[in-house]
Every structure is written in structure tokens, then in C-alpha cells.
Amino acid sequence: NAAKSTLQQMNAYLASNGRNPSQMTPEEQVQYQQQIDKRDVAGAIVADVLGTLEKFCQSMPLDWMFNLDNQQKGIDFISALLHLLQEDTANIQVLSVACLQQLSMRKLEQDQWFRIISSLPSALFQASNAAAKRAAERGLPSPHCLEMLVEQLEFHKSVSKMGSMLISAHLAHITTDKDIASGCGPKFEAVSTYLRLLSEMMSHQSGVICGDQMNTWIGLLRDPAIVRTNVVTPHIANVLVAYMTHIVRIRWEDVWDQNHSYASLIEASWDDEEEYEEWLGNLRSKATQLFRSIGATEPEISVTVVHSKLRNLMAAHSNGEPRDHLNTENNELTVKSTACCEFEGITQPLDN
């Protein structure tokens, strides 16, 4: 913490003088690097501890891990793991999520499950603020800029996977809780807030984020008891829009040529075109079940969202615009043309 605080003060000093770390004097560079080395050493120690703690989370008594009866709130493993989601040094935030994922795969009691469900949104909000601060210190325009998205992809992927697993492995806690079933009260609000967090994650520019959540949303929509609580309904539109966005095929040559606006993020998400095509095939296969479930449980939302998407496509591409990747012999559109790719993506939601 001391090294991090010093680095923050150094960055603030440079910014106040209109400089960035690349413009430091040789003497400043030496002092700056010393603080970085101290921070990295401390981070490596924490990372090693988290590696051991992940094993604890697999098998150690849950009462001990959660320590819910402790009179001193915040003195437990869960509080520490949630706090460490803010720290990117030595991959600490990803290792913290790995520990939470091990816990999510175990049979948690309702109070233990609710502890994570209710605490995770605020912890991730703090992690987002920490990322914004790091971006500002580096002179980046936004924590959502492409460079930051690429750097944080592994963290975002692990959070999405862990967060969805926490729901799908404990659906019974939603169906059997009277407060949640009533559609009001603090527990209902906490679960609704958590599901909103998951649905908002799916707007991420990398499709792998929403791909990890597919089974969770299908499971929620297939359970009549959960559907009756209306805890899922406010988030259906976000879910549907996200999957309709990501089932549109990416032209891989645009990634190779760096013509795609998120080329570097796509390259970080999949190793090559073959892996992407396999992922897309699996996503489309599962999306059929999702679209049918949404259509059966929330037909009005389904029709509204699909109609809006189709109307936008007609306005943008009904005349074939932007008329790219044309057939050289007859100047007609091909399967690689943007208009064709976009309309191909809407056929599956329409069919289901």
C-alpha cells in the first residue's frame, strides 16, 4: 500500500506539471522504478497467498470461510477477496475471482450465498473506480478505452463466469425464499440488483463475456417459480440485445487487417478464426433455447426488442449499404458484405 500510495502521488505530481511517466528525468525514473519494484514484490506475495487460499475455498469449512457470526464485520475471507478485486498487480483480482468461483461451486447455505450476492455489485463498482483511476494516471481517455478493455479482459471473463455460476448453482435459493417470491423486500432487491449486474456485463464488446452466461439465463427462464417472481423480467431486454449483437458473425479478415474497431480485443478473446467459429456455432446453438424461452415467458418484450432491431437494420442496410465486399463479376453483395452479415444475425431470433 505504501508503494502504491507513493506511485499515485508521483503520478499526481507529474500530471500537475503537464507530464506523464515517459517524460520523467533520469533521477525520477530511478525513484519511480524503485516504487514499482516494491509494489510488484508485495503483489507477488499476495498472489502466492491467493493460490493457497483457492485450495482452502475448495474444501475448508464454509462457516470458517464466511465467519458470519463474527461480531467484527469485515474480518473474514470473503471481505478480503471482495476488496482484492480492485488490485490488478500480479493478477491479484483474477486470482481473487478464482477463489470466489471455488466457493460458488460448493453447496452454500442461503445466508452464505446471499452474503456474496448482496456484496459483489458494490465490490465490482469499487473495482471499476480503481480501474478508472489507473486509466487517468496513465493518461488514457477512459477506463472503457480499447487498451483498458484488452488489459482487463481476463478479469471481466472470470467475473462473468463466476457470477453466472453463483446463480445457476443455487437456483433453489431464489425459488424457496418467500421474500424473493413476493417480488419485494431487501432480498428481492439484492437479487434483482445482482441480475442487473450480470445483464449489464453482457454489453461488453467481447462476446466471450455473454457466452459464459448463456446457461444461467436459460436456467432462470425455464424455472416457472423464478419467472413468477418477476426478478428476471427487468433484465430480459438487455440479455436479448446482447445475444442478438454477438451472434452476428465477425469478418476475421477485418481483424487480421486491423480494420475492425475492436481488433485487438477480438484477438485477445479468441486465438484464431477456427476457435471463433467454433465458439460462434456453440453460441448460436444455445441461443435457440434462450430465444424460445424468452418468447414463451416474455413475448411482449421479445417482440418489442426484435422489432426494434429489425427496424434499425432496415433503416441502415435495406438498400445494401455500405455495399462492401462485392462480387467483382456482377457487383452484387456477397455473404461477407456487412448488410448480409447483419441480416443473417437477425434470422435466428425471428425463427424462434
Side-chain angles (χ1 to χ4, degrees):
N1 281 338
K4 282 187 62 180
S5 177
T6 302
L7 285 170
Q8 291 171 358
Q9 292 172 8
M10 289 179 169
N11 286 321
Y13 171 78
L14 291 171
S16 67
N17 287 275
R19 295 189 293 158
N20 58 52
S22 63
Q23 299 171 317
M24 291 187 295
T25 65
E27 293 79 7
E28 289 173 335
Q29 289 176 355
V30 170
Q31 296 177 26
Y32 195 82
Q33 187 61 46
Q34 287 175 346
Q35 298 303 318
I36 290 178
D37 293 341
K38 290 180 181 179
R39 181 201 63 188
D40 291 347
V41 168
I45 295 173
V46 175
D48 288 342
V49 171
L50 287 171
T52 302
L53 187 56
E54 183 181 357
K55 307 302 180 185
F56 282 15
C57 292
Q58 293 176 11
S59 56
M60 295 299 283
L62 291 171
D63 289 343
W64 179 64
M65 298 294 296
F66 281 83
N67 201 19
L68 292 175
D69 296 329
N70 195 326
Q71 298 300 314
Q72 292 180 287
K73 298 299 182 183
I75 310 300
D76 58 81
F77 287 99
I78 307 304
S79 296
L81 293 173
L82 293 174
H83 175 74
L84 290 174
L85 296 178
Q86 304 175 43
E87 183 55 68
D88 68 330
T89 303
N91 219 27
I92 285 174
Q93 56 186 183
V94 175
L95 294 171
S96 298
V97 175
C99 293
L100 291 170
Q101 180 168 323
Q102 292 299 329
L103 290 172
S104 71
M105 291 189 292
R106 298 179 65 180
K107 187 177 181 180
L108 301 178
E109 297 295 332
Q110 185 161 33
D111 56 347
Q112 296 167 344
W113 174 79
F114 187 75
R115 165 70 194 287
I116 301 180
I117 289 290
S118 58
S119 302
L120 194 57
S122 60
L124 289 175
F125 177 74
Q126 292 172 1
S128 179
N129 287 341
K133 190 172 184 178
R134 291 194 297 270
E137 289 174 352
R138 292 164 55 182
L140 297 175
S142 163
H144 307 296
C145 67
L146 184 57
E147 185 175 343
M148 288 294 289
L149 287 175
V150 173
E151 286 184 12
Q152 291 212 291
L153 177 62
E154 195 61 34
F155 174 58
H156 293 154
K157 284 170 56 180
S158 60
V159 168
S160 181
K161 185 175 182 178
M162 178 275 295
S164 59
M165 189 176 297
L166 192 60
I167 291 292
S168 58
H170 299 89
L171 290 177
H173 290 331
I174 300 177
T175 59
T176 59
D177 189 279
K178 294 181 180 179
D179 292 337
I180 298 175
S182 69
C184 59
K187 284 191 175 181
F188 175 85
E189 292 298 330
V191 174
S192 184
T193 298
Y194 185 82
L195 292 179
R196 181 168 64 249
L197 170 69
L198 290 183
S199 68
E200 288 175 351
M201 283 185 198
M202 296 166 66
S203 64
H204 196 283
Q205 289 79 359
S206 173
V208 295
I209 304 298
C210 75
D212 287 333
Q213 295 189 29
M214 178 72 78
N215 291 335
T216 296
W217 290 103
I218 292 175
L220 287 166
L221 290 165
R222 281 185 169 180
D223 193 316
I226 294 178
V227 172
R228 283 196 298 269
T229 66
N230 291 322
V231 73
V232 177
T233 303
H235 318 296
I236 292 301
N238 285 343
V239 173
L240 188 53
V241 167
Y243 283 112
M244 285 198 300
T245 298
H246 290 296
I247 61 174
V248 176
R249 177 176 274 102
I250 297 171
R251 284 194 301 260
W252 208 255
E253 54 263 42
D254 290 346
V255 180
W256 285 335
D257 298 337
Q258 298 295 303
N259 291 329
H260 196 286
S261 54
Y262 292 101
S264 57
L265 181 63
I266 294 170
E267 288 176 325
S269 301
W270 299 279
D271 290 338
D272 51 32
E273 184 178 10
E274 182 179 352
E275 184 181 13
Y276 168 72
E277 289 292 340
E278 181 180 357
W279 173 87
L280 182 63
N282 291 333
L283 182 74
R284 288 182 170 184
S285 177
K286 293 181 179 179
T288 297
Q289 304 175 52
L290 180 70
F291 294 146
R292 287 176 179 172
S293 297
I294 292 176
T297 57
E298 298 292 345
E300 184 176 350
I301 295 176
S302 178
V303 169
T304 301
V305 173
V306 174
H307 177 262
S308 176
K309 176 71 173 180
L310 184 59
R311 185 176 57 191
N312 291 338
L313 285 178
M314 292 296 292
H317 304 296
S318 60
N319 59 355
E321 293 293 335
R323 296 195 59 79
D324 53 1
H325 295 269
L326 301 177
N327 187 313
T328 55
E329 295 182 357
N330 54 25
N331 205 36
E332 292 183 354
L333 300 177
T334 66
V335 292
K336 291 187 177 181
S337 299
T338 297
C340 294
C341 291
E342 291 291 339
F343 276 105
E344 184 214 10
I346 196 64
T347 57
Q348 191 175 9
L350 287 173
D351 289 343
N352 293 281

